[in-house]
Amino acid sequence: MILVIAEQREGKLNRATWETIAAAQQLGGTTGAPIVILVPGASVQAVANELAAAAVKEVVTVESPALEPYTPDGFTAALQDAITQLAATHVLLPHTYQTRDFAPKLAARMDRALLTDVTAIRSAGGETAFVRPMFQGKLTADVVPQGPAPHVITFQIGAYRADQAAKGASPVPVRPLAVTVDASAIREKPEPPFQQAKQAVDLSQAERIVSVGRGIKEQANIALAQKLADALGAEIAASRPICDAGWLPMERQVGSSGQTVAPKLYLALGISGAIQHLVGMKGASTIVAINKDPDAPIFEVADYGIVGDLFEIVPAIIEAVKK
């Protein structure tokens, strides 16, 4: 059985969970194993009902006051118990900040293999292999986990699209699962989530993104990109050189050393398309690139490419969007 661990905070589902469900459905199609979604937390019924729309076997809730707010000790104890009860062969999770915190601890506690940041699933020599980037995305490796099940696997945000997850004709059953969590064994006392500034943004949740690169030339020209973002109802982002220069906050960086995103629309302005940037945004549903260089690598992944001066093209797009 394939078990997908959903992620939610204060009753709001992280959309990366749907991406992991899409990956689980591909894995299930290869192995023939049924899929179950597990929703941990203190009050998760609404999230569970939302996930019941997926084409899976069932949704299982694990509710305990010890799971809210999140702590790695609480989640590890609850999930270890749940995974054992459900007898999962694969445990799939989105590769989020929270997952990076507790998944290694969970795998070590269960003495099971852990694969992180997976971008694809393929068959290799009759076995199921998981593809993951290495050396900042310069190459990929096909990895087959060894040892007894379950294998714990996290999927890079944007590797699969949320809209790829198949929905069922009717909601699947939702049932609670009783687990044992010793609240006294939780050593952490979490504080409210840190935010660098009021405008801090999680780009992985954005549906539309306007991203700028060196072709923007100077910081003052970012205002033009912001106007386009405002017209589209999009978030603004950038490649690493822009953030390194301090023209936009580091929280706006997309790429292997920034955020990985999978919006419905990704508009790249003056971005050449270095591999470090491409690994962070290639999962977008539609990629539109504007660049003066017809040989820019960004055009290799773009759905639509415009070769030209962004300072002439962007104002025309803004006017067209406003109309």
Side-chain angles (χ1 to χ4, degrees):
M1 183 267 285
I2 300 168
L3 184 64
V4 175
I5 308 297
E7 181 170 314
Q8 60 84 33
R9 176 176 291 174
E10 297 178 351
K12 183 178 180 180
L13 180 69
N14 187 324
R15 66 192 293 263
T17 297
W18 282 107
E19 299 174 15
T20 307
I21 292 170
Q25 289 171 339
Q26 181 190 347
L27 180 61
T30 301
T31 63
I35 302 167
V36 173
I37 302 173
L38 178 69
V39 189
S43 181
V44 298
Q45 194 61 45
V47 171
N49 291 340
E50 179 181 347
L51 290 170
V56 297
K57 180 183 177 182
E58 64 176 349
V59 177
V60 174
T61 61
V62 171
E63 296 191 88
S64 170
L67 298 180
E68 197 71 47
Y70 158 79
T71 61
D73 279 347
F75 264 53
T76 298
L79 293 178
Q80 181 182 9
D81 189 353
I83 292 166
T84 302
Q85 289 188 54
L86 296 170
T89 55
H90 294 85
V91 178
L92 275 51
L93 310 97
H95 192 74
T96 63
Y97 290 113
Q98 181 170 290
T99 295
R100 293 179 216 183
D101 190 39
F102 76 83
K105 178 182 177 71
L106 175 64
R109 178 75 61 84
M110 301 184 72
D111 194 21
R112 295 296 186 266
L114 169 67
L115 287 178
T116 61
D117 216 21
V118 168
T119 58
I121 304 169
R122 63 170 60 131
S123 180
E127 296 184 289
T128 300
F130 298 91
V131 182
R132 67 182 308 276
M134 300 180 69
F135 304 110
Q136 289 193 325
K138 290 183 173 63
L139 57 88
T140 59
D142 293 352
V143 183
V144 178
Q146 302 294 300
H151 300 134
V152 182
I153 302 156
T154 72
F155 285 84
Q156 185 181 103
I157 295 176
Y160 289 81
R161 297 206 313 265
D163 58 9
Q164 289 178 321
K167 304 292 182 67
S170 59
V172 299
V174 177
R175 68 177 177 94
L177 181 71
V179 298
T180 301
V181 182
D182 182 3
S184 65
I186 297 177
R187 298 165 294 178
E188 302 89 2
K189 294 182 179 179
E191 296 180 350
F194 172 75
Q195 285 191 332
Q196 187 175 16
K198 290 183 178 180
Q199 68 269 26
V201 63
D202 182 1
L203 293 176
S204 68
Q205 304 299 305
E207 292 195 353
R208 289 174 294 278
I209 293 175
V210 173
S211 193
V212 297
R214 295 177 195 231
I216 204 70
K217 294 184 178 179
E218 58 181 310
Q219 186 174 10
N221 293 333
I222 291 178
L224 178 63
Q226 185 64 63
K227 288 180 181 179
L228 178 57
D230 292 341
L232 291 169
E235 294 288 351
I236 193 164
S239 59
R240 180 171 179 171
I242 299 302
C243 295
D244 282 349
W247 295 1
L248 280 174
M250 295 303 295
E251 69 201 35
R252 299 280 176 176
Q253 180 185 331
V254 171
S256 58
S257 56
Q259 296 199 48
T260 302
V261 300
K264 292 181 179 179
L265 173 65
Y266 189 88
L267 224 166
L269 309 181
I271 294 176
S272 62
I275 185 64
Q276 291 85 356
H277 185 78
L278 296 184
V279 298
M281 46 67 73
K282 63 183 180 181
S285 300
T286 302
I287 299 170
V288 179
I290 302 173
N291 200 295
K292 289 196 297 185
D293 181 5
D295 297 319
I298 191 72
F299 290 126
E300 296 179 9
V301 299
D303 297 286
Y304 300 93
I306 304 174
V307 178
D309 187 345
L310 71 87
F311 297 104
E312 297 176 0
I313 297 166
V314 170
I317 294 177
I318 293 172
E319 290 304 314
V321 170
K322 288 181 177 180
K323 289 179 182 178

